[in-house]
Amino acid sequence: MTAEKDVRDREVFVVSGPRTPFAKIDGPLAQLDAVALSVPVVRAAVRSLHPRSGPDAIVWGTVIPSLAVSNIAREVWLDAGLDPSVPALTVVQQCATSLAAATHAAAQMRAGRLELALCGGSESMSQTQIGLSRGMSRTLRRLAAGRGPTAALRTLGQIRPRDLRLSLPSIKERTTGMTMGDHAEVMAKDWTIDRGTQDRYALASHEKAVAAWESGFYDDLVLTAETFPGLEGDAIPRPDTSREKLGRLPPAFDRRSGQGTLTAGNSSPLTDGAAACWVATAAGLAGLEEPTPRARLIDWEVAAVDIDRDGLLLAPALAIPRLLARQRLRYEDIDLWEVHEAFAAQVLCTIAALNSRAWLRERVDVEAELGEVPVDRINPNGGSIALGHPFGATGARILSQTVKQLQRTGGRALVSICAAGGLGHVALLEAV
Ligand SMILES: CC(C)(COP(=O)(O)OP(=O)(O)OC[C@H]1O[C@@H](n2cnc3c(N)ncnc32)[C@H](O)[C@@H]1OP(=O)(O)O)[C@@H](O)C(=O)NCCC(=O)NCCS
């Protein structure tokens, strides 16, 4: 029993890793698919290993499926030309994908099965493949099987107009047919988050990201123009934006009712990029060169909402109180809040729910007094609205900068990511 407890209590650490600069869809990274975006990140990450040490696993993920790649973790590792004996696992949890990669590795470490894992993910929105209908796919498979010209003509004759419909990837929730933006509009109305408040939030995200770049915060987290010619850093933060410019943008999702509040300016943009971080036990840390920034991963929680009742992107408002109540912490005990910004509206709704006693009592079943969310501690170096959001990479991007920020300031950090399907994945870290 004691031995089992020792294993469960094994400490786990997150170590900052590198990432690509992030750029909007069809921008400077458009020629690279999810594997090609990942390879330089993985190569850069392994440069922080001691000679002769290596990870026990790579856990990677991408959200938009590729026809040619299923276990992207393995393909990335092989394309990087690294030790082929390292096992590889792909995980997908939409926007929380690479946070899920990290907590999966951490759980394995607590079970005594891993010491050091490279975790991360990537997304190429620019290289998204368009699928054929099932009918057309079946026809073309038969043609490829090549049973002679007569059979081929007969097969072609079976094509129906509906088979010509293409399967266009879109950011729609499969069960509702609505986009993430449509859902965030509904949430904004439910929690009465107005356009001006969303725009102010978005402006602050840009201001903080621009200031962080100017102060050099991202210099050692983001690969340079040497690896990505023409990209001196993230291409998305806008020093030129303002309340007035944001206020003039038309609604991006609810364009007809005259009530739409979400715009291209207060939503995260469609983004290309890849990011990595390390997850390690104390023994695994010995495989990495100092002084890589590191923080202790204390605990994590994954929650899911009833999409119709609660709103698609509100699951962190279930996960955060559960995690904090379990750890006997209040909101004010968290010094750094790193919150994924799918939309300004989603962050603001989450804060409103976390501050609502009715929400905590009726939906979360948490009796503890958690206080008010200290909004000035959220995303001090900018968030996904300004930095961009390559779905598979965002978790590792957030973990790496959380660790770096914690090393500067000390204290505790909460990482929070909402994901399609009504999921929320949050994690608690502590400076070492
Ligand atoms: C919102 C969305 C539809 C906008 O797409 P888009 O119209 O192609 O966006 P663009 O980047 O071209 O921006 C549109 C315009 O707004 C302007 N704009 C965007 N952000 C701005 C800002 N911060 N300040 C000023 N102008 C801004 C652009 O310059 C552009 O202007 P132009 O038309 O004069 O060139 C798209 O980014 C999207 O779908 N985002 C959501 C992604 C999502 O669902 N993620 C999942 C989260 S869970």
Side-chain angles (χ1 to χ4, degrees):
M1 190 63 197
T2 315
E4 265 177 37
K5 185 174 180 307
D6 285 350
V7 166
R8 271 205 312 276
D9 288 348
R10 279 156 55 106
E11 285 193 318
V12 177
F13 301 86
V14 179
V15 178
S16 295
R19 68 172 172 88
T20 66
F22 290 171
K24 277 190 191 176
I25 182 172
D26 295 328
L29 298 175
Q31 298 309 314
L32 304 174
D33 66 13
V35 175
L37 282 168
S38 304
V39 167
V41 172
V42 168
R43 285 200 182 124
V46 299
R47 281 203 284 278
S48 60
L49 288 167
H50 278 306
R52 285 193 304 284
S53 82
D56 306 314
I58 171 169
V59 192
W60 210 255
T62 189
V63 175
I64 310 280
S66 149
L67 290 176
V69 174
S70 55
N71 187 358
I72 188 174
R74 183 61 175 162
E75 309 305 334
V76 162
W77 191 255
L78 292 179
D79 275 16
L82 299 165
D83 173 7
S85 69
V86 174
L89 172 73
T90 291
V91 301
V92 184
Q93 199 177 54
Q94 282 91 356
C95 306
T97 286
S98 44
L99 175 57
T103 57
H104 171 83
Q108 295 273 310
M109 286 171 193
R110 293 221 167 133
R113 303 189 67 97
L114 288 179
E115 304 292 349
L116 179 63
L118 182 62
C119 300
S122 66
E123 209 68 50
S124 169
M125 298 306 294
S126 305
Q127 297 264 336
T128 302
Q129 290 182 303
I130 293 178
L132 298 172
S133 68
R134 283 171 202 271
M136 186 59 101
S137 300
R138 197 169 47 239
T139 305
L140 294 180
R141 259 197 329 268
R142 284 185 192 149
L143 277 179
R147 297 209 188 89
T150 318
L153 280 175
R154 208 172 33 244
T155 305
L156 284 172
Q158 288 166 0
I159 295 176
R160 298 284 167 267
R162 66 167 182 274
D163 295 339
L164 299 175
R165 254 187 259 142
L166 295 174
S167 175
L168 294 168
S170 64
I171 309 172
K172 280 192 179 152
E173 189 60 24
R174 192 183 66 82
T175 55
T176 65
M178 291 161 64
T179 64
M180 303 288 120
D182 294 332
H183 277 284
E185 278 285 7
V186 173
M187 290 167 58
K189 289 185 179 73
D190 286 351
W191 290 90
T192 47
I193 307 292
D194 64 28
R195 165 81 184 263
T197 315
Q198 293 175 47
D199 284 352
R200 269 197 301 282
Y201 182 92
L203 178 62
S205 182
H206 280 276
E207 287 170 346
K208 288 183 285 185
V210 169
W213 267 105
E214 280 171 0
S215 74
F217 176 81
Y218 286 110
D219 288 355
D220 59 353
L221 291 173
V222 180
L223 297 174
T224 59
E226 225 170 85
T227 323
F228 297 100
L231 263 176
E232 295 297 336
D234 290 322
I236 303 174
R238 297 175 71 128
D240 65 330
T241 191
S242 65
R243 276 296 304 283
E244 295 66 39
K245 286 181 184 168
L246 285 163
R248 282 199 293 271
L249 296 175
F253 301 100
D254 176 2
R255 297 201 184 105
R256 296 218 183 105
S257 74
Q259 310 287 312
T261 57
L262 271 80
T263 68
N266 60 37
S267 306
S268 60
L270 300 171
T271 308
D272 297 332
C277 62
W278 292 99
V279 180
T281 61
L285 280 183
L288 293 169
E289 303 270 9
E290 293 277 358
T292 36
R294 58 203 55 186
R296 193 176 288 111
L297 176 62
I298 305 291
D299 197 0
W300 62 91
E301 176 79 20
V302 186
V305 284
D306 176 332
I307 296 171
D308 294 332
R309 179 173 47 162
D310 301 321
L312 180 73
L313 302 173
L314 214 57
L318 293 180
I320 292 171
R322 285 180 189 153
L323 177 66
L324 295 189
R326 183 163 68 238
Q327 292 292 331
R328 299 184 195 288
L329 295 171
R330 290 161 53 90
Y331 298 146
E332 68 184 14
D333 298 320
I334 305 299
D335 306 285
L336 168 65
W337 292 63
E338 281 286 348
V339 180
H340 164 50
E341 300 166 347
F343 303 95
Q346 149 265 325
V347 180
L348 294 163
C349 290
T350 304
I351 297 169
L354 290 173
N355 286 341
S356 156
R357 280 164 177 264
W359 170 270
L360 293 179
R361 203 174 44 243
E362 287 153 28
R363 286 298 293 119
V364 196
D365 199 19
V366 162
E367 291 299 328
E369 181 53 58
L370 296 173
E372 292 271 310
V373 174
V375 287
D376 56 337
R377 300 182 195 171
I378 298 178
N379 299 351
N381 300 296
S384 302
I385 289 174
L387 296 166
H389 172 37
F391 307 144
T394 287
R397 187 274 292 168
I398 293 181
L399 282 171
S400 290
Q401 70 186 65
T402 297
V403 169
K404 179 162 180 188
Q405 180 71 10
L406 272 187
Q407 206 179 41
R408 291 174 152 197
T409 58
R412 289 188 198 91
L414 185 82
V415 165
S416 168
I417 304 188
C418 59
L423 302 180
H425 200 136
V426 305
L428 181 66
L429 294 96
E430 184 180 74
V432 289

